[in-house]
Amino acid sequence: MGTSKRKTYTPEYRREAALLVIDTGRTVAAVAREIGVGEQLLGRWVHAERARTSDGAQAPLELHERAELERLRREIAELRMDNEFLGKAAAFFASKQNPRSGSR
């Protein structure tokens, strides 16, 4: 039997993911698919963030602020995926460059 490792998310990541739903007005399902987490998990994060921010009333974002925020969050998600890919590629090529690991 293999051991499965559960993904862990930082509080900052959970908050940002929840704000994607809250600030942009998109559905939990759409955002969950976009960032690769389960709908129920994201729903819990959204609920927790709404409960956390309900004490201090924040002014709602204006339309241009929402658009900019959504663009920036999408860009961050893309950059994170690019960074993850580059890290894996670097590790792959580093293992290919090591003359001791392969046969001659």
Side-chain angles (χ1 to χ4, degrees):
M1 284 186 211
T3 59
S4 66
K5 204 172 190 184
R6 180 181 285 188
K7 273 188 157 180
T8 57
Y9 301 96
T10 64
E12 179 184 62
Y13 181 85
R14 287 181 265 179
R15 183 174 176 268
E16 288 178 12
L19 289 174
L20 276 174
V21 174
I22 296 167
D23 291 343
T24 64
R26 289 185 289 165
T27 64
V28 170
V31 173
R33 274 192 308 274
E34 181 180 311
I35 64 173
V37 301
E39 289 179 36
Q40 291 181 342
L41 181 60
L42 180 57
R44 287 194 301 268
W45 295 348
V46 170
H47 179 74
E49 184 61 22
R50 283 186 174 142
R52 190 183 72 78
T53 59
S54 67
D55 297 337
Q58 291 180 328
L61 295 177
E62 293 183 19
L63 187 59
H64 73 280
E65 291 174 318
R66 285 182 190 269
E68 177 71 2
L69 186 59
E70 183 176 348
R71 184 190 68 76
L72 291 171
R73 288 191 172 141
R74 192 172 28 245
E75 185 176 329
I76 288 170
E78 289 173 10
L79 290 171
R80 284 182 177 155
M81 287 190 304
D82 289 348
N83 194 30
E84 183 178 331
F85 173 78
L86 290 172
K88 289 177 181 179
F92 173 78
F93 287 115
S95 70
K96 292 291 185 183
Q97 295 295 324
N98 187 351
R100 294 182 185 170
S101 66
S103 59
R104 292 180 185 205

